[in-house]
């Protein structure tokens, strides 16, 4: 089932999401629906708060296809950063250049409760950072300068 995407400034986007303690049938269904929702909207990443569920789940479009990461955490984030353009399904038509770590190591669980470890760089590393930020209520508009924010203020009102 394709879920409704919560758009900025919906307050759920600012809430800190809760850890998943047990992978229940409801969680499995949510993961399935999130993958469908991401693909339908041609996104490369999606977090549970964006579909109205304050839980620590993200879907990332990996080279092997959309994959779920449950309770994802960074184990490494490179000091080296790079600028790159990002969009967000909660901010239609807004694209911003954001500085992110070049390389990350993410650990998480998959839908079967198995441990996952992913080393990512470039766009994939960027997607992980954008989506894990969502779980802490952090949005990509928080990462731009004050002057950049003033420039996009009118655009934000129209989102
Ligand atoms: Co986003």
């Amino acid at each position: 089932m394709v879920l409704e995407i919560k758009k900025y400034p919906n307050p759920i986007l600012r809430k800190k999401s809760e850890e998943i303690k047990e992978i229940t049938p409801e969680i499995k269904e949510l993961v399935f629906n999130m993958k469908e929702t991401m693909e339908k909207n041609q996104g490369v990443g999606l977090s549970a708060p964006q579909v109205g569920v304050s839980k620590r789940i993200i879907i990332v479009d990996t080279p092997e296809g959309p994959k779920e990461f449950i309770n994802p955490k960074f184990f490494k984030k490179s000091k080296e950063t790079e600028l790159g353009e990002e969009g967000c399904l909660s901010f239609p038509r807004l694209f911003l250049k954001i500085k992110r770590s070049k390389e990350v190591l993410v650990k998480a669980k998959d839908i079967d409760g198995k441990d996952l470890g992913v080393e990512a760089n470039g766009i994939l590393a960027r997607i992980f950072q954008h989506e894990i930020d969502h779980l802490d209520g952090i949005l990509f508009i928080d990462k731009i300068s004050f002057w950049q924010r003033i420039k996009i203020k009118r655009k934000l009102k129209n989102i």
Side-chain angles (χ1 to χ4, degrees):
M1 191 174 78
V2 175
L3 306 168
E4 186 206 335
I5 299 205
K6 307 294 177 194
K7 307 274 165 35
Y8 179 83
N10 190 307
I12 194 152
L13 297 173
R14 288 300 188 185
K15 270 183 75 181
K16 193 172 160 70
S17 296
E18 286 171 19
E19 293 260 332
I20 306 282
K21 299 225 169 66
E22 193 193 345
I23 299 164
T24 60
E26 289 75 26
I27 296 291
K28 289 189 179 185
E29 197 186 339
L30 173 64
V31 164
F32 183 87
N33 289 336
M34 281 175 69
K35 284 183 182 172
E36 208 179 318
T37 304
M38 188 184 86
E39 288 193 296
K40 177 85 184 174
N41 287 280
Q42 294 167 324
V44 290
L46 183 68
S47 63
Q50 288 179 283
V51 293
V53 182
S54 216
K55 292 195 188 301
R56 303 191 79 82
I57 304 172
I58 60 170
I59 309 293
V60 172
D61 192 16
T62 70
E64 294 80 42
K67 177 83 191 154
E68 73 284 357
F69 295 84
I70 296 173
N71 297 335
K73 267 199 189 111
F74 290 111
F75 271 71
K76 267 188 227 158
K77 252 184 177 178
S78 67
K79 282 214 181 94
E80 210 182 332
T81 57
E82 63 187 357
L83 260 184
E85 194 163 75
E86 290 180 23
C88 180
L89 292 176
S90 296
F91 293 82
R93 301 176 304 280
L94 184 65
F95 295 91
L96 298 171
K97 284 217 163 133
I98 309 286
K99 200 158 94 173
R100 301 277 188 190
S101 290
K102 259 183 148 173
E103 290 177 346
V104 296
L105 170 61
V106 177
K107 291 193 179 178
K109 299 251 187 225
D110 73 2
I111 198 69
D112 300 313
K114 261 200 332 211
D115 288 323
L116 295 173
V118 180
E119 257 183 318
N121 56 49
I123 289 175
L124 194 57
R126 178 170 297 279
I127 300 170
F128 274 115
Q129 291 170 83
H130 179 114
E131 299 309 329
I132 293 175
D133 269 354
H134 271 299
L135 303 182
D136 293 317
I138 299 166
L139 302 171
F140 72 158
I141 52 167
D142 303 337
K143 305 264 174 185
I144 59 175
S145 71
F146 175 75
W147 295 111
Q148 244 183 311
R149 197 164 313 149
I150 287 186
K151 264 201 265 174
I152 64 162
K153 223 172 167 185
R154 184 166 300 158
K155 253 188 179 170
L156 281 178
K157 275 190 194 136
N158 295 329
I159 275 169

